[in-house]
Amino acid sequence: MTEKKTVISEVECFSLADTLECGQIFRFVRVGEGYSIFSADKHCYARQYGRTVEITTEATDYFLRFFALDKDCKSDYEKLRAYPELTAAADASCGVRLLRQNPFEMIISFIISANNNIPRIKGIIERICEKCGDKKEWGYAFPTRERLAALTAEDFAALGAGYRAPYLYAAARTVTDEFISDVTNSDTVSAMKKLLTVKGVGPKVADCIMLFGLGRGDTFPVDTWMEQALATDELDTVAKIRAHYLARYGALSGLAQQYIYHYNRNVVGKNRRDRAR
DNA sequence: TTCCAGGGATATA
DNA sequence: TATATCCATGGA
């Protein structure tokens, strides 16, 4: 296999930077004018100049699907933009796309993400890859389930996982290919129930896994940022917020969530922080 | 019901 | 600059 550079021009509704900086992926680093991106046992280098995207990889088809560059996202954006409360967020976030990531990697990564911050999550995942992922020319692959199952709970703790170590140990045993295909083939409500049987997976983590790993648009992860942005007198719990917006945005809930998250964290939040300086 | 468990980032004093 | 709080989950 050799690397190949693919150039996509006149791309609409795609911002590489915004898509990567939305909390849906942990394994990417800024390199030069672009990003080095890792997914499962694959890697690409991607750059964007205006509406032109360059992807250099041995796995072109994988990454076109990964970035959802194999489909037109404009109509989803336009549908969400039509909600008055989403117009500003959608216009600030139309380049954000839902990534199609590897389900096993998402389950492990989002167990680590629980009650954690992004820099630390990245560090733990990186150390796990170095510990038992395949060594490649470009770095380390995400470990297979079998490789992860060779680690002890103490190993995970030594890699910085903290109290999530026993959950990772258990997940490496319970999240088999069969489990994943069962979840993949279930409707969203049953998939959620099945994911919640994995130790360390609660409602928020399950939503993230389904949205970023299983392509389920009919999910609406509510973390503390979302709660702060959306809580009202009526919507005063995470569960109420989630139910309300799922009912409102339906199959586009997940994309709406990404728009709101991006807008509040990277646009509104940034302005607020800048003003405080 | 409430508290605690890594530890890095962020907010506050 | 020092200190407190946050984070999402499961178990005591």
Side-chain angles (χ1 to χ4, degrees):
Chain A
M1 287 283 274
T2 53
E3 286 197 334
K4 188 178 99 182
K5 183 191 280 187
T6 301
V7 179
I8 306 150
S9 49
E10 303 300 311
V11 66
E12 288 190 300
C13 294
F14 181 76
S15 160
L16 180 62
D18 289 349
T19 296
L20 294 173
E21 303 283 358
C22 263
Q24 52 180 329
I25 174 168
F26 301 111
R27 285 203 302 147
F28 69 96
V29 286
R30 175 118 212 154
V31 175
E33 296 175 339
Y35 294 88
S36 200
I37 297 145
F38 310 85
S39 174
D41 60 349
K42 296 174 174 62
H43 167 261
C44 76
Y45 178 72
R47 288 195 292 188
Q48 178 166 24
Y49 307 95
R51 288 173 60 188
T52 300
V53 181
E54 268 179 28
I55 301 177
T56 305
T57 180
E58 290 181 352
T60 305
D61 290 346
Y62 179 88
F63 280 105
L64 290 179
R65 181 175 181 282
F66 181 88
F67 286 116
L69 285 168
D70 56 349
K71 66 179 202 179
D72 179 7
C73 294
K74 197 173 178 183
S75 71
D76 289 347
Y77 154 71
E78 285 169 347
K79 282 176 197 157
L80 287 178
R81 191 186 186 283
Y83 292 90
E85 78 279 12
L86 273 187
T87 306
D91 285 345
S93 321
C94 66
V96 174
R97 293 206 180 196
L98 290 167
L99 296 172
R100 309 294 302 270
Q101 302 186 72
N102 176 271
F104 181 71
E105 182 172 343
M106 288 299 95
I107 292 171
I108 298 301
S109 298
F110 277 93
I111 288 174
I112 294 167
S113 82
N115 187 25
N116 213 339
N117 57 65
I118 290 171
R120 183 162 174 239
I121 297 164
K122 285 184 173 186
I124 296 167
I125 294 173
E126 195 53 42
R127 289 189 290 277
I128 288 176
C129 292
E130 287 169 13
K131 174 89 175 173
C132 60
D134 266 348
K135 178 89 175 82
K136 305 278 190 181
E137 283 177 23
W138 39 260
Y140 291 90
F142 196 84
T144 60
R145 187 188 73 79
E146 289 75 13
R147 288 288 192 81
L148 270 193
L151 299 190
T152 63
E154 290 70 29
D155 289 330
F156 286 115
L159 295 170
Y163 61 83
R164 306 160 197 84
Y167 309 151
L168 295 173
Y169 175 82
R173 262 140 270 271
T174 56
V175 183
T176 58
D177 289 347
E178 189 185 8
F179 176 87
I180 287 172
S181 84
D182 186 24
V183 170
T184 303
N185 294 318
S186 299
D187 62 83
T188 298
V189 172
S190 347
M192 171 71 117
K193 279 186 189 150
K194 285 167 186 170
L195 285 171
L196 290 175
T197 66
V198 179
K199 286 279 176 289
V201 177
K204 189 268 180 180
V205 167
D207 264 347
C208 289
I209 293 166
M210 292 199 292
L211 185 57
F212 307 137
L214 298 170
R216 302 302 174 92
D218 50 343
T219 53
F220 196 81
V222 180
D223 67 358
T224 179
W225 278 87
M226 293 295 291
E227 189 181 2
Q228 280 175 36
L230 300 177
T232 63
D233 287 347
E234 292 74 36
L235 302 176
D236 58 353
T237 67
V238 167
K240 285 184 200 170
I241 293 169
R242 180 178 187 275
H244 172 84
Y245 285 99
L246 270 181
R248 183 162 174 80
Y249 302 132
L252 295 180
S253 297
L255 187 59
Q257 190 272 359
Q258 287 296 98
Y259 283 178
I260 296 165
Y261 183 91
H262 173 260
Y263 182 62
N264 282 280
R265 259 201 93 139
N266 302 337
V267 183
V268 178
K270 184 177 186 305
N271 290 341
R272 200 176 292 138
R273 285 192 297 277
D274 288 347
R275 272 200 304 278
R277 292 225 167 92

